[in-house]
Amino acid sequence: GEDVEQSLFLSVREGDSSVINCTYTDSSSTYLYWYKQEPGAGLQLLTYIFSNMDMKQDQRLTVLLNKKDKHLSLRIADTQTGDSAIYFCADSPGSARQLTFGSGTQLTVLP
Amino acid sequence: EAGVVQSPRYKIIEKKQPVAFWCNPISGHNTLYWYRQNLGQGPELLIRYENEEAVDDSQLPKDRFSAERLKGVDSTLKIQPAELGDSAVYLCASSKGQPGQETQYFGPGTRLLVL
């Protein structure tokens, strides 16, 4: 079946860049998403990329997609303490079907 | 624009008791999803509605779980009877469900603890 993998933990210093990586197996993935979840909260959509793109930039966020290797990354520039959260990668075959999520990466930003 | 609304936010029950969760999607969103998120994991789909029709319920444990979306707007997810392993966060999401407008927006979730 479909699988989405992420590393579990990442720690960075405030002001540094963070890079969160994700791999997926479904070659029919049409959209790939990054969601942020803070403690006790639901999932907040950060950004998404369509499968025919290889890069998308949105303010401090840069998404890179390597479709050949089925690898997705999220780079957060100038990481702040407010960025500390769990980040989920998810893929979808489109047609409003289900999202398949990774287990999440806990980002800790150290002062 | 109001986001996805869920209630209650927290629920503690004893095993074998029934429990129900309610979701109001974003106005104009035809597609509604219920996900379950176990501790330390990503959400997993339980059921997807397009308007009032359940189009994907393959991962819904039908012996104890039921859901409905009368009139194609609000939805209710029920568990009867609840088991210890049902402790999780139940997330509702909605999307416009149209090509190019498929992004799913999530509610805050209902945290269920079964004792």
Side-chain angles (χ1 to χ4, degrees), chain B residues 33-45:
Chain B
Y33 314 76
W34 282 103
Y35 288 83
R36 177 168 59 187
Q37 184 178 20
N38 292 314
L39 189 63
Q41 298 181 19
E44 295 180 326
L45 182 74

Side-chain angles (χ1 to χ4, degrees), chain A residues 19-22 24 32 34 47 49-50 53-57 61-67 70-75:
Chain A
V19 179
I20 302 171
N21 294 301
C22 170
Y24 61 97
L32 295 120
W34 285 102
T47 187
I49 190 167
F50 191 56
M53 300 168 62
D54 52 19
M55 187 182 91
K56 182 178 180 181
Q57 187 151 5
L61 305 178
T62 302
V63 179
L64 295 178
L65 174 61
N66 181 328
K67 197 172 179 182
K70 297 189 180 68
H71 181 268
L72 182 74
S73 69
L74 173 69
R75 179 178 181 269

Side-chain angles (χ1 to χ4, degrees), chain B residues 92-110:
Chain B
C92 179
S94 69
S95 76
K96 288 188 176 180
Q98 298 160 12
Q101 295 180 311
E102 302 168 18
T103 300
Q104 296 181 29
Y105 296 90
F106 284 79
T110 296

Side-chain angles (χ1 to χ4, degrees), chain A residues 67-102:
Chain A
K67 197 172 179 182
K68 174 176 170 288
D69 295 338
K70 297 189 180 68
H71 181 268
L72 182 74
S73 69
L74 173 69
R75 179 178 181 269
I76 306 173
D78 187 25
T79 313
Q80 302 297 307
T81 54
D83 294 325
S84 292
I86 299 176
Y87 290 80
F88 288 95
C89 166
D91 72 348
S92 170
S95 301
R97 302 217 301 267
Q98 70 179 80
L99 295 173
T100 299
F101 286 86

Side-chain angles (χ1 to χ4, degrees), chain B residues 7 29 38 44-45 52 54-55 62 77 82 84-85 88-89 92 94-95 105-107 110 113-114:
Chain B
S7 69
H29 282 198
N38 292 314
E44 295 180 326
L45 182 74
E52 64 274 8
V55 296
K62 297 182 184 60
L77 178 69
L84 296 177
V89 178
C92 179
S94 69
S95 76
Y105 296 90
F106 284 79
T110 296
L113 179 61
V114 182

